Amino acid sequence: MARKLLFISKYRDIIQEFLDAMKDKDIQIETAQNGLEAAALLKKNEYQVVVTGLTMDGYNGEQLISYINRAHPNTACIIYTTTISAAQLHFFINKRDVFRVFLRPVNFRMEFFDALEEAFEYYAVKVKNSEENAERQEKTVENKKQILGIEQKMDNEDSAKMAMGRYMKRLVNFTLKEYAGSLKQEEWERLAGVENGMIELCCGGEKSLLKAEKAAEQLNEIVHI
């Protein structure tokens, strides 16, 4: 990926000085002399690094950096200005995530260029972290979908079992009358309880396990009568 940089300054001589210092560097550089030009470029392009002054016509440096924070959160911003107060410095570093602040004049070929190299690396790290976070979020969403699908399937299976259980329970009275007509009323009721318990075991799920165990005990008693 090409390394792209936007240099913003209202002073044409400073822009030219920067371009001369970077002419043998592997960096694609675009420039702007006011906030409106810079805003138009920022809306159309993604830059790994933006170097900007603070005072200029149209949008000032603070407004541009605020826009970059929202629209291009991975872009590394460097301020190059004549003066800056302690309060401004604190604000830009801690609230606007500004990567470096330089006061004029500075040698663009020395410490300033070292900062540019670090800024490009900083951008690459932020992009990688963003991609990894997006991948984790995508996996989380997919896992949630799978869990919901499994739960839905389980709910459907439970509903089917319960429906079958209700149907089988309605048949108990008919079958007992047909095949156990000779039993006494007390024996008939106990046997019906056993039948219903067995149906609970097959169709009622875990909540009916105790009922099924009790039914098994009753069946054992009946067998040994």
Side-chain angles (χ1 to χ4, degrees):
M1 181 180 179
R3 302 198 300 174
K4 297 184 66 175
L5 179 147
L6 176 62
F7 190 91
I8 311 164
S9 175
K10 66 180 180 179
Y11 302 106
R12 184 63 207 173
D13 58 331
I14 291 178
I15 291 177
Q16 191 58 52
E17 180 186 354
F18 180 78
L19 291 174
D20 291 342
M22 299 292 125
K23 62 184 178 181
D24 59 342
K25 307 300 183 184
D26 184 24
I27 303 174
Q28 293 183 10
I29 301 172
E30 293 184 327
T31 64
Q33 281 191 260
N34 59 63
L36 294 177
E37 291 179 4
L41 290 169
L42 287 166
K43 288 179 180 179
K44 294 189 299 183
N45 302 286
E46 172 83 10
Y47 299 96
Q48 287 99 324
V49 180
V50 172
V51 181
T52 184
L54 292 180
T55 59
M56 63 190 77
D57 296 331
Y59 302 111
N60 61 32
E62 180 182 338
Q63 290 171 315
L64 290 174
I65 291 172
S66 177
Y67 172 77
I68 292 169
N69 287 164
R70 297 192 307 273
H72 307 284
N74 295 324
T75 295
C77 295
I78 295 177
I79 291 175
Y80 182 54
T81 186
T82 304
T83 60
I84 189 169
S85 68
Q88 285 179 306
L89 183 63
H90 175 81
F91 173 79
F92 283 118
I93 296 296
N94 296 288
K95 302 297 183 180
R96 288 289 178 260
D97 195 28
V98 169
F99 184 71
R100 291 283 192 281
V101 176
F102 285 92
L103 295 178
R104 295 168 49 199
V106 68
N107 188 331
F108 288 132
R109 292 182 174 85
M110 301 297 290
E111 65 267 29
F112 196 93
F113 179 71
D114 292 338
L116 289 182
E117 290 290 284
E118 293 175 5
F120 282 114
E121 293 177 2
Y122 179 69
Y123 174 90
V125 169
K126 292 186 74 173
V127 168
K128 182 179 180 181
N129 289 340
S130 297
E131 291 173 348
E132 290 177 349
N133 289 337
E135 184 177 351
R136 282 196 292 270
Q137 291 176 357
E138 185 177 347
K139 288 182 178 178
T140 299
V141 170
E142 183 61 30
N143 289 339
K144 287 182 178 179
K145 287 182 179 178
Q146 291 180 0
I147 291 172
L148 288 174
I150 292 171
E151 290 178 346
Q152 183 64 47
K153 184 177 180 181
M154 292 173 65
D155 289 343
N156 292 341
E157 290 177 353
D158 287 345
S159 297
K161 286 182 179 179
M162 292 175 66
M164 178 60 73
R166 290 193 296 269
Y167 173 73
M168 292 177 67
K169 285 180 180 179
R170 286 197 295 268
L171 294 179
V172 168
N173 289 336
F174 295 105
T175 55
L176 287 181
K177 289 179 180 178
E178 180 71 22
Y179 298 104
S182 61
L183 293 177
K184 296 179 181 179
Q185 180 65 28
E186 180 181 353
E187 294 173 338
W188 188 89
E189 290 177 354
R190 292 182 64 185
L191 186 56
V194 170
E195 290 286 343
N196 285 324
M198 292 300 104
I199 293 172
E200 289 283 350
L201 178 61
C202 296
C203 304
E206 294 182 1
K207 293 182 179 180
S208 301
L209 185 58
L210 292 177
K211 293 181 180 179
E213 290 178 348
K214 184 177 180 180
E217 294 175 359
Q218 292 176 336
L219 180 61
N220 187 56
E221 293 175 0
I222 292 173
V223 171
H224 289 86
I225 289 176

